[in-house]
Amino acid sequence: MKLKTLLFFVIIFLSVNYTIAQSHTFKLGDDAFLLDGKPLQMISGEMHYPRIPREAWRQRMKMAKAMGLNTIGTYVFWNLHEPQKGKFDFSGNNDVAEFVKIAKEEGLWVILRPSPYVCAEWEFGGYPYWLEKEEGLVVRSKDPKYLEEYRKYINAVGKQLAPLQINHGGNILMVQIENEYGSYSNDKEYLAINKQMFIEAGFDGLLYTCDPKPAIKDGHLPGLLPAINGIDNPAEVKALIKENHNGTGPFYIAEWYPAWFDWWGTKHHTVPAEQYVNRLDSVLAAGISINMYMFHGGTTRGFMNGANYNDRDPYEPQISSYDYDAPLDEAGNATDKFMKFRSVIQKHLAAGQVLPSVPKSKPVIVIPDVQLKQATSLFDILPAPKLNPEPLTFEDLNQAYGFLLYRTIVDGGVSGTLKIKELRDYGIIYINGKKAGVLDRRLKQDSLQVDLPKGKVKLEILVENLGRINFGPYLLKNKKGITDKVLLAGRELKNWKMYSLPFSSVKDLAFKSGKINAGSPAIKKGSFDLKKVADTYLDMRSWGKGIVWVNGHNLGRYWSIGPQQTIYLPAEWLKKTNNEVVVLELLKSEQTTLKTISKPILNELH
């Protein structure tokens, strides 16, 4: 009897484990993707794990299912996972493997994009800042130094994610190598090296490339599926892919844009759903697989926003909100676009298939005004300085993000032009502790007229990294800080002290009560209790420029120029008692009151 019972449990154990580990086949047919030999039309939406609180991943995926998606796409971000050379992090909000596993539990396939270049309106296009420190290293090339670091990264990613591919019992259908490479260069040998490194890292399933129409010839690698970005005319999509894939499909729009992103000082981008409904309908009717970029944008928290720049346009750092006017808004609620797209998708479901009901919008609260009663001047929390005759960059000081204060002593009694060559990106100038002016790379400002009093004068320049360029030919010109020299009335200033202020954490800052000198960059602190925990929006319209942390989470930047005037504060990062808020305010040190409202303001310019 005991033997029969034991045998019964062994059979059950083996059966369960076979079900868990059961692998599928996913292949390219001439016209369709084939899952276990049967056609699968991927209806996918992009959403990025670091732009969503880990605690909310599952809720966002349930919303994806409710709109009719069967797949989600995500980039993998090198600078998150290797913030310092050789130090990898796949924990907390960086646990991309858990993100993929939750998707499987929610019945979603995954398209994985570890590239390692991602663009994505993300700092340095996903590259870690320290690549800039490697002498002679050239990203997106066959440079041995770059390939060595790339290989270490993709091997680390492979350990996390290769076992989750569909051919190993997981839910990752396809893996993308590089990212819109044809918009950057055309080296097929480099692309082939990419492919081989992915395979060696364990990605032995279906690999593909993606490019916009003008770049597809340069960006695809023969033998891999060339997916297309940015167009949705079914005939054109099919013709382009056939032309570059031996006359066959299947057909995949890897990035279909239902709207666009925003940058500081420019209006909020919105596109009515009506402009896309018929186009989505025609794509699905043609049997083409599609990935909406974005289905849900979320928030680019911390210092991780990127920037655009080229020879024609000014430097354009992106805002913290990545709402994107996407079908699912920044807080994870269904929009009008969501409902209209859902109606289209419903038309193309298999007979008898019914979509889950759409969850109600999440509750929102307005918190009574929070008084920030503790304060300190940024000048009172300076670390030990680094001394050097010339200004050093962020990279010279092993600093990725945040701020850097430059200080020197000059002989006064001088009037003239203070010129900061190659300032990156935003500088506030102080003379003997008093603010003298601001220089802004966006506006191509690098000079300020100053009148120095007689005697020895303390000159300080507080420089903010507003985000490294994430797209185009300037990826290799991304150092931050004062990247050249400082001139006063034509004479180069020397003997600098540099104070690193990365603000990677605010938990150990020392505060005091009382006011801060007007014009001094100030750090304010307060706390609040809640009767109910729910989403809210910090209303920063009366503030100037800075960063907000709540319960240790860096929620991102605010800047009165707009268009973003609020900061989304997710319920998942709040608690009922003793919520701590810290605000770094650069321009309006007199502010002490933090307000909240129930809706975001993403379209107000000043």
Side-chain angles (χ1 to χ4, degrees):
M1 190 67 183
K2 288 182 179 179
L3 184 59
K4 287 183 178 179
T5 303
L6 179 61
L7 186 60
F8 172 79
F9 281 112
V10 168
I11 291 170
I12 292 295
F13 175 81
L14 292 175
S15 175
V16 169
N17 275 272
Y18 173 77
T19 301
I20 293 171
Q22 184 180 13
S23 61
H24 296 269
T25 61
F26 188 68
K27 297 181 179 180
L28 305 180
D30 287 346
D31 294 300
F33 294 99
L34 300 177
L35 175 63
D36 296 332
K38 297 178 181 179
L40 173 69
Q41 184 177 25
M42 292 180 291
I43 307 176
S44 177
E46 188 96 0
M47 55 182 183
H48 301 146
Y49 55 100
R51 285 176 158 139
I52 308 164
R54 176 180 175 137
E55 300 88 342
W57 288 345
R58 191 178 299 274
Q59 182 269 343
R60 304 303 197 267
M61 292 176 187
K62 288 184 183 297
M63 296 299 293
K65 291 282 287 186
M67 199 179 83
L69 303 184
N70 58 23
T71 307
I72 58 171
T74 186
Y75 283 122
V76 182
F77 300 85
W78 186 353
N79 52 15
L80 284 185
H81 297 298
E82 195 180 5
Q84 296 291 343
K85 184 175 180 178
K87 296 180 180 179
F88 288 94
D89 179 9
F90 291 94
S91 65
N93 239 99
N94 292 348
D95 191 351
V96 61
E98 182 64 16
F99 181 79
V100 172
K101 290 173 185 175
I102 293 174
K104 184 178 182 182
E105 292 169 5
E106 294 300 323
L108 289 162
W109 302 108
V110 170
I111 301 295
L112 192 70
R113 312 173 74 191
S115 296
Y117 165 74
V118 300
C119 188
E121 292 70 62
W122 192 265
E123 226 273 345
F124 203 180
Y127 284 125
Y129 88 97
W130 50 263
L131 289 180
E132 284 270 18
K133 290 174 51 63
E134 303 291 313
E135 190 66 32
L137 184 147
V138 180
V139 299
R140 307 187 85 178
S141 80
K142 298 192 295 281
D143 168 51
K145 286 186 177 181
Y146 169 64
L147 294 178
E148 179 184 0
E149 301 303 336
Y150 178 177
R151 184 173 287 106
K152 293 174 187 174
Y153 157 74
I154 203 63
N155 284 341
V157 171
K159 289 178 182 177
Q160 298 287 321
L161 295 171
L164 304 182
Q165 295 171 102
I166 188 168
N167 52 320
H168 295 281
N171 57 322
I172 297 174
L173 295 176
M174 297 198 302
V175 179
Q176 178 188 299
I177 69 164
E178 249 292 347
N179 186 49
E180 297 186 322
Y181 178 69
S183 297
Y184 187 80
S185 190
N186 60 359
D187 188 338
K188 303 292 185 180
E189 186 178 352
Y190 164 68
L191 285 174
I193 292 171
N194 275 256
K195 174 185 173 183
Q196 188 58 36
M197 286 203 297
F198 270 63
I199 293 170
E200 291 171 358
F203 292 112
D204 54 358
L206 196 57
L207 303 176
Y208 76 101
T209 60
C210 76
D211 289 279
K213 178 182 175 179
I216 193 168
K217 287 185 180 296
D218 289 338
H220 94 279
L221 182 66
L224 299 187
L225 177 71
I228 189 74
N229 291 357
I231 63 171
D232 56 15
N233 178 285
E236 189 175 12
V237 169
K238 290 186 175 184
L240 272 170
I241 291 177
K242 283 182 177 180
E243 181 183 343
N244 292 279
H245 197 236
N246 300 319
T248 69
F251 309 106
Y252 179 44
I253 302 172
E255 293 188 11
W256 182 72
Y257 309 113
W260 206 240
F261 60 92
D262 294 330
W263 51 95
W264 293 111
T266 303
K267 69 175 184 177
H268 177 49
H269 294 83
T270 60
V271 182
E274 289 76 12
Q275 293 188 22
Y276 282 92
V277 166
N278 291 337
R279 291 154 68 176
L280 177 60
D281 189 30
S282 64
V283 165
L284 296 182
I288 295 171
S289 290
I290 190 170
N291 180 53
M292 301 176 189
Y293 192 102
M294 300 291 294
F295 160 67
H296 170 55
T299 311
T300 309
R301 297 180 178 87
F303 302 107
M304 301 313 293
N305 66 277
N308 281 338
Y309 177 78
N310 58 44
D311 291 329
R312 301 180 305 278
D313 300 319
Y315 171 75
E316 296 170 339
Q318 290 115 20
I319 67 174
S320 294
S321 171
Y322 204 58
D323 176 88
Y324 217 92
D325 192 34
L328 202 65
D329 71 14
E330 184 175 5
N333 296 312
T335 64
D336 174 66
K337 192 172 287 182
F338 178 105
M339 300 306 293
K340 287 186 168 67
F341 286 2
R342 171 185 157 92
S343 295
V344 173
I345 293 169
Q346 279 183 313
K347 290 172 52 180
H348 298 277
L349 297 179
Q353 186 179 350
V354 179
L355 293 181
S357 59
V358 179
K360 294 180 180 179
S361 291
K362 299 157 64 186
V364 182
I365 56 173
V366 175
I367 302 169
D369 292 358
V370 180
Q371 300 303 320
L372 308 183
K373 297 179 180 179
Q374 294 178 283
T376 185
S377 168
L378 182 141
F379 295 130
D380 290 336
I381 61 161
L382 298 178
K386 175 80 173 180
L387 280 64
N388 200 66
E390 292 81 29
L392 298 174
T393 66
F394 278 58
E395 292 74 17
D396 293 331
L397 297 169
N398 297 317
Q399 181 179 337
Y401 317 116
F403 302 80
L404 191 52
L405 180 68
Y406 296 82
R407 178 184 288 171
T408 191
I409 304 299
V410 299
D411 292 326
V414 176
S415 296
T417 301
L418 179 71
K419 183 179 180 67
I420 306 175
K421 299 189 69 175
E422 297 298 330
L423 171 67
R424 299 179 186 168
D425 300 299
Y426 183 87
I428 308 176
I429 292 90
Y430 302 90
I431 295 174
N432 287 337
K434 294 184 178 181
K435 186 170 75 173
V438 170
L439 300 179
D440 186 345
R441 182 184 181 188
R442 296 177 314 112
L443 306 177
K444 299 184 178 181
Q445 296 170 338
D446 68 356
S447 301
L448 181 73
Q449 290 298 118
V450 296
D451 295 302
L452 301 187
K454 293 182 178 180
K456 296 294 182 181
V457 173
K458 180 171 65 175
L459 174 67
E460 293 167 303
I461 306 166
L462 179 62
V463 178
E464 179 180 4
N465 166 6
L466 285 177
R468 291 180 178 85
I469 297 163
N470 60 263
F471 179 79
Y474 290 95
L475 289 174
L476 290 171
K477 295 182 179 179
N478 254 330
K479 290 187 175 180
K480 291 298 180 178
I482 297 175
T483 63
D484 194 335
K485 63 185 71 173
V486 181
L487 304 172
L488 176 59
R491 182 174 64 88
E492 183 178 357
L493 300 182
K494 297 277 192 175
N495 300 319
W496 293 91
K497 292 181 178 179
M498 272 82 37
Y499 301 85
S500 288
L501 296 160
F503 283 101
S504 51
S505 172
V506 292
K507 66 178 181 179
D508 295 324
L509 295 180
F511 290 88
K512 60 186 179 182
S513 299
K515 295 183 178 180
I516 302 297
N517 291 337
S520 173
I523 307 168
K524 306 292 181 76
K525 181 180 176 181
S527 63
F528 58 92
D529 297 332
L530 296 173
K531 292 180 180 179
K532 180 178 75 169
V533 172
D535 286 352
T536 191
Y537 297 87
L538 305 180
D539 182 356
M540 308 308 296
R541 285 177 291 180
S542 62
W543 295 72
K545 186 179 194 306
I547 316 286
V548 181
W549 293 260
V550 172
N551 294 330
H553 296 280
N554 186 330
L555 301 182
R557 308 176 200 263
Y558 64 89
W559 196 353
S560 60
I561 63 171
Q564 177 181 350
Q565 300 291 345
T566 54
I567 295 179
Y568 170 54
L569 176 51
E572 290 83 4
W573 290 346
L574 288 169
K575 50 190 179 178
K576 283 200 170 181
T577 59
N578 197 30
N579 291 278
E580 180 184 272
V581 57
V582 176
V583 180
L584 168 61
E585 169 57 49
L586 300 176
L587 303 176
K588 294 185 176 181
S589 56
E590 70 277 7
Q591 287 297 332
T592 60
T593 302
L594 190 61
K595 298 178 179 292
T596 63
I597 54 177
S598 60
K599 292 183 179 180
I601 300 174
L602 300 176
N603 58 352
E604 189 174 302
L605 290 170
H606 293 292

